[in-house]
């Protein structure tokens, strides 16, 4: 969990923050959390609470080193940011048809869907479809079923938040960059911003400091993305799959607070 304050008073107390987070633990909402509060030029408060799991013998989360499955924040931190890099490089046109980069996404009203519509969720695609139930663990099958999803609204008509938009945008990035989303995001986004801990598919050596986000046969499972569509994509998808720390996400937020300027 992360909170940012734009311009707090120098004498501001964070006792209420502590109380709110600890209340959530007592009420059983989550076993542990981290809070990072800062502004564009500094971090004012950083603390971990509780434990990785409901087992009191499990580790205490640390804002600097504990990895979390950040779920749909992947859409912003990895996918949208990667798209922005490609736009800066002159390789991606937001107002081009998606079919220009993904020829299989075509036919009927799909020919009117632009890359920008994937970003602002006005493509007309459904909000969510459990594609993995039909695809199993086949990434190629996942992609084929994704292309086959029908539009449920005219393109550009209205906004409806959709995982499918981000899945397709991830494929657009891979098509344009000619590499996988994770291999593009690392040098294009994470490394330049100093997000040293952020990554897709954390290796086994990092599982000890990764908070479990799922359970398998009664046992917590750290390091596996807790999204079945993303898992069927192999753990790398435009809508989910990134693991990060509170400190890294604070760095990302600071870049936005500095109007896009990277670490100093």
């Amino acid at each position: 969990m992360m909170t940012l304050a734009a311009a707090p008073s120098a004498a501001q107390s964070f006792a209420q923050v502590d109380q709110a987070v600890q209340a959530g633990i007592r009420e059983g909402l989550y076993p542990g959390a981290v809070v990072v509060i800062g502004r564009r030029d500094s971090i004012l408060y950083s603390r971990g609470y509780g434990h990785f799991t409901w087992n009191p013998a499990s580790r205490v989360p640390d804002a600097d080193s504990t990895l979390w499955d950040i779920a749909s924040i992947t859409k912003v931190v990895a996918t949208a940011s990667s798209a922005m890099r490609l736009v800066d490089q002159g390789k991606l046109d937001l107002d081009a048809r998606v079919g220009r980069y993904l020829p299989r996404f075509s036919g009927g009203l799909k020919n009117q869907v632009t890359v920008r519509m994937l970003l602002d969720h006005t493509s007309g695609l459904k909000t969510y479809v459990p594609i993995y139930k039909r695809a199993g663990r086949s990434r190629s099958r996942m992609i084929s079923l994704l292309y086959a999803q029908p539009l449920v609204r005219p393109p550009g008509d209205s906004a409806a938040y959709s995982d499918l938009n981000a899945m397709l945008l991830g494929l657009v990035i891979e098509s344009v960059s000619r590499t996988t989303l994770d291999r593009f995001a690392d040098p294009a986004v994470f490394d330049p911003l100093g997000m040293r801990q952020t990554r897709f598919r954390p290796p086994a050596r990092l599982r000890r400091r990764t908070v479990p986000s799922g359970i398998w046969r009664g046992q917590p499972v750290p390091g596996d993305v807790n999204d079945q569509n993303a898992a069927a994509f192999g753990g790398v998808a435009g809508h989910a799959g990134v693991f990060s720390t509170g400190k890294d996400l604070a760095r990302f937020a600071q870049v936005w607070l500095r109007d896009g300027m990277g670490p100093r």
Side-chain angles (χ1 to χ4, degrees):
M1 185 172 81
M2 182 186 73
T3 307
L4 287 170
S9 166
Q12 180 175 350
S13 169
F14 299 104
Q16 289 184 323
V17 174
D18 290 342
Q19 292 169 6
V21 178
Q22 290 168 347
I25 294 173
R26 288 195 305 272
E27 294 167 12
L29 299 179
Y30 42 81
V34 296
V35 169
V36 180
I37 301 174
R39 55 190 180 189
R40 68 194 305 269
D41 58 352
S42 61
I43 299 299
L44 303 176
Y45 190 71
S46 177
R47 181 181 171 183
Y49 303 81
H51 298 273
F52 276 28
T53 70
W54 292 113
N55 182 348
S58 63
R59 301 183 73 179
V60 176
D62 178 81
D64 291 347
S65 62
T66 298
L67 286 166
W68 306 80
D69 176 350
I70 65 171
S72 282
I73 300 176
T74 296
K75 296 179 176 71
V76 178
V77 170
T79 313
S81 297
S82 292
M84 291 169 63
R85 289 295 196 193
L86 290 171
V87 170
D88 286 345
Q89 295 169 11
K91 297 178 180 178
L92 180 63
D93 180 356
L94 296 184
D95 294 313
R97 295 184 304 106
V98 173
R100 171 177 167 182
Y101 305 107
L102 303 176
R104 293 172 65 188
F105 186 82
S106 61
L109 292 177
K110 286 184 179 180
N111 293 333
Q112 299 178 18
V113 178
T114 65
V115 176
R116 189 183 300 275
M117 290 176 185
L118 298 181
L119 280 161
D120 64 17
H121 297 276
T122 60
S123 67
L125 286 163
K126 294 179 181 178
T127 56
Y128 172 77
V129 179
I131 303 175
Y132 70 92
K133 290 184 176 180
R134 295 176 57 194
R137 293 289 173 169
S138 168
R139 188 175 192 273
S140 61
R141 177 69 171 154
M142 281 289 297
I143 292 173
S144 293
L145 290 170
L146 176 60
Y147 284 141
Q149 295 303 312
L151 302 186
V152 294
R153 296 175 308 282
D157 180 66
S158 59
Y161 180 83
S162 169
D163 279 0
L164 276 60
N165 288 321
M167 290 182 197
L168 282 166
L169 185 57
L171 296 179
V172 168
I173 292 165
E174 293 187 346
S175 175
V176 175
S177 67
R178 298 185 179 181
T179 188
T180 59
L181 178 59
D182 56 331
R183 290 177 179 172
F184 181 79
D186 281 346
V189 180
F190 305 152
D191 289 347
L193 300 188
M195 300 170 68
R196 307 302 183 196
Q197 307 294 332
T198 304
R199 67 196 67 205
F200 287 91
R201 295 189 297 199
R205 62 182 173 80
L206 298 181
R207 289 186 179 180
R208 186 169 179 271
R209 57 185 178 91
T210 303
V211 175
S213 55
I215 296 177
W216 175 250
R217 295 180 178 176
Q219 296 298 316
V221 179
D224 291 340
V225 59
N226 190 28
D227 180 288
Q228 294 304 307
N229 277 338
F233 261 93
V236 178
H239 71 295
V242 168
F243 288 74
S244 189
T245 66
K247 182 178 180 179
D248 272 10
L249 291 181
R251 286 179 180 273
F252 183 82
Q254 286 179 317
V255 169
W256 286 100
L257 292 174
R258 291 195 295 263
D259 298 323
M261 297 298 293
R264 295 176 178 176

